[in-house]
Amino acid sequence: LCNIHDYRHAEALEKSYLTPESAVAAEPANRSVYVPGYGYRGEPILITEFGGIAFSGEENGTEGWGYSTVADIEGFLESYESLIEALVRSEPIQGFCYTQLTDVEQEINGLLAYDRKPKVDPARVREINEKAS
């Protein structure tokens, strides 16, 4: 498997993952997808970490960081939807995994808070996922 971690915004994801060639040439966080001496041989390409959306301020009662920030629930859902749609439209991407399910210590970029309570209505997340698939 070719596993890629990419926390860039939806437009960058859409542009990078148009073809298998552009996908493996992408350099998220200025890092090559493959280490020297290895390269793409037709294996499935997966985005195994993306998103990382955090609320700005202390809306969820914790301090920490995320790969991107939004001011409110609607902003979160808009960002989440744009990321999901970009990856679903990508032909070479065979699957993806949002980072992360829950907040942990200093990272507040999960779908659930540290206490495992949803930050946004799970039905809205499901609606976005089903609409995009």
Side-chain angles (χ1 to χ4, degrees):
L1 300 174
C2 174
N3 295 304
I4 302 171
H5 296 188
D6 195 334
Y7 291 99
R8 294 176 297 159
H9 55 83
E11 294 81 17
L13 296 180
E14 192 155 359
K15 182 178 178 184
S16 292
Y17 302 116
L18 289 173
T19 67
E21 295 77 21
S22 66
V24 298
E27 292 191 344
N30 297 316
R31 295 185 178 140
S32 296
V33 171
Y34 289 94
V35 296
Y38 292 87
Y40 184 63
R41 297 172 306 197
E43 59 273 10
I45 301 170
L46 306 168
I47 306 301
T48 53
E49 289 190 25
F50 78 100
I53 306 166
F55 287 103
S56 58
E58 295 183 23
E59 180 172 320
N60 63 356
T62 60
E63 292 184 38
W65 62 272
Y67 290 93
S68 65
T69 57
V70 294
D72 55 28
I73 290 171
E74 286 308 313
F76 181 96
L77 292 169
E78 287 172 15
S79 292
Y80 180 80
E81 184 170 25
S82 67
L83 292 166
I84 295 294
E85 287 176 349
L87 293 175
V88 167
R89 283 192 294 266
S90 170
E91 287 189 37
I93 300 304
Q94 300 296 304
F96 50 83
C97 181
Y98 183 83
T99 297
Q100 51 203 33
L101 179 60
T102 66
D103 289 354
V104 294
E105 303 306 325
Q106 80 280 3
E107 292 185 41
I108 57 168
N109 52 18
L111 294 173
L112 306 175
Y114 189 79
D115 62 5
R116 308 310 191 247
K117 292 181 181 166
K119 294 181 182 179
V120 299
D121 181 357
R124 298 276 310 270
V125 172
R126 181 179 180 174
E127 180 181 304
I128 291 167
N129 292 340
E130 288 177 345
K131 182 176 115 181
S133 57

